[in-house]
């Protein structure tokens, strides 16, 4: 049997060399539904990537699709900048009643632009405006976006190098367990803050991910997060939680910081907030921080009304009764059990298994092994990516709505890919 390779010529000759994911998955995808993707030759792939966390509810979710089609068919507003629309009102009302109010979160809602980095840029700008200081503290192996302000608080050397200019006004600190318990948490941070001879520019804010997705699935302990929140309060710094990839239920609760019992000053949300993969982002902050002048931060595409429609339908469908969180945590336990079994089978090659909810990582001693595992998994019909500073971690990010059968199938394929790349 002769297999004809897909025609990738237009992508290879016309599209920029900056393209990346398509190099790992060399086919031409044509359609998708739920947790399945199909290429133009009819091959089927199980998706454990979920649009880098933008498709928590699967591809073309039928409930969300129906709401979107109905809205488009009645000629609902598509592009609205920051005008008041029925779609925006519906989303805001549901977000307040289903998400914010039950959690006793007082946040104002800002629409900064359609992407995660837009949300981070606005958060950094607001923190500096409120505190009158320039410096922002971030953490080792952090990832907060690809625009210049976000890159300045991102740890990855490869991504930072793409800026082409100095990335300033940011200072990295050790993330939880970065020093493997050899130093008390925040000892260095506290010392710099209190020593007038440290040369440390006093920060306006600290930005943190509760689970570092791109950084290698590094999970911050709840106690560490609570101590960080306390440090920020004592030292007059704002706490920004970047919940772009880990929010919207990825770790179980709607916001990933809920487990720690903290209330950040500012929260950035994007990726799966629209529920359908449509570009949308939010910057949430405490009311007393809302010192913006009208139009002081804006963007042409911050009023993506079709995204408001699917976002409102997502909240109604998946977050009104508390069942999504329970389901995610239960399926996360299935993933953890399976991955620990793989780690036990491959004790010499698997360094660790770590994660929360339905985000998990498998770290390999051989830094190149994770890439080989992902490539073999793709050949076997499973889409997974790598993460970590040296791409040494296989990252699992299935849809929250994945069936137990599909979850088991994907884990079996992953186990086979690990065995066959030994």
């Amino acid at each position: 049997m002769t297999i004809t390779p897909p025609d990738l010529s237009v992508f290879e000759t016309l599209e920029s060399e900056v393209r990346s994911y398509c190099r790992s998955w060399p086919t031409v995808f044509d359609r998708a539904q739920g947790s399945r993707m199909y290429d133009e030759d009819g091959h089927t792939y199980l998706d454990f990537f979920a649009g880098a966390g933008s498709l928590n509810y699967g591809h073309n979710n039928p409930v969300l699709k129906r709401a979107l089609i109905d809205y488009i068919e009645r000629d609902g507003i598509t592009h609205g900048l920051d005008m008041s629309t029925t779609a925006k009102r519906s989303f805001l009302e549901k977000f307040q009643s289903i998400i914010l109010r039950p959690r006793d979160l007082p946040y104002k809602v800002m629409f900064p632009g359609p992407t995660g980095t837009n949300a981070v840029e606005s958060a950094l700008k607001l923190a500096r405006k409120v505190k009158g200081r320039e410096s922002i503290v971030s953490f080792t192996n952090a990832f907060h976006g690809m625009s210049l302000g976000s890159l300045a608080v991102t740890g990855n050397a490869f991504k930072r190098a793409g800026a082409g200019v100095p990335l300033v006004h940011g200072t990295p600190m050790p993330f939880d367990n970065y020093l493997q318990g050899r130093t008390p948490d925040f000892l260095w941070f506290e010392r710099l803050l209190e020593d007038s001879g440290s040369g440390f520019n006093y920060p306006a804010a600290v930005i943190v991910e509760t689970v570092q997705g791109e950084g290698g699935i590094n999970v911050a302990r709840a106690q560490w997060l609570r101590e960080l929140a306390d440090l920020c309060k004592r030292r007059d710094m704002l706490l920004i939680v970047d919940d772009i990839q880990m929010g919207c239920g990825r770790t179980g609760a709607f916001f990933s910081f809920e487990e720690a019992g903290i209330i950040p000053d500012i929260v950035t949300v994007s990726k799966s907030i629209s529920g359908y993969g449509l570009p949308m982002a939010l910057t949430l902050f405490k009311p007393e921080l809302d010192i913006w002048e009208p139009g002081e931060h804006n963007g042409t595409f911050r009023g993506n009304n079709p995204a408001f429609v699917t976002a409102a339908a997502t909240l109604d469908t998946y977050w009104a009764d508390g069942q999504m969180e329970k389901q995610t945590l239960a399926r996360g336990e299935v993933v953890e059990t399976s991955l620990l079994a793989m780690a036990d089978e491959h004790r010499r090659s698997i360094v660790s298994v770590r994660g929360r909810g339905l985000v998990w990582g498998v770290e390999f001693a051989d830094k190149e092994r994770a890439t080989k595992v992902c490539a073999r998994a793709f050949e076997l019909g499973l889409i997974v990516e790598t993460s970590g500073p040296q791409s040494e971690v296989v990252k699992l990010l299935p849809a929250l709505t994945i069936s137990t059968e599909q979850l088991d199938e994907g884990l079996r394929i992953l186990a086979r890919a690990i065995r066959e790349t030994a």
Side-chain angles (χ1 to χ4, degrees), residues 14-74:
L14 187 60
E15 191 178 359
S16 166
E17 293 300 314
V18 79
R19 65 192 189 280
S20 60
Y21 289 120
C22 58
R23 299 178 190 273
S24 300
W25 306 315
T27 192
V28 180
F29 294 103
D30 179 54
R31 61 189 182 89
Q33 208 290 314
S35 289
R36 301 279 187 193
M37 297 184 72
Y38 305 87
D39 67 18
E40 61 184 358
D41 295 321
H43 300 120
T44 303
Y45 301 88
L46 188 57
D47 185 7
F48 270 33
F49 174 62
S54 296
L55 296 166
N56 281 3
Y57 313 97
H59 295 267
N60 290 305
N61 183 292
V63 176
L64 311 184
K65 180 168 63 176
R66 185 72 263 160
L68 180 59
I69 290 172
D70 289 347
Y71 183 77
I72 292 171
E73 286 185 337
R74 74 167 185 82

Side-chain angles (χ1 to χ4, degrees), residues 304-318:
N304 185 353
N305 281 255
F308 298 156
V309 170
T310 54
T314 298
L315 298 179
D316 258 342
T317 304
Y318 294 106

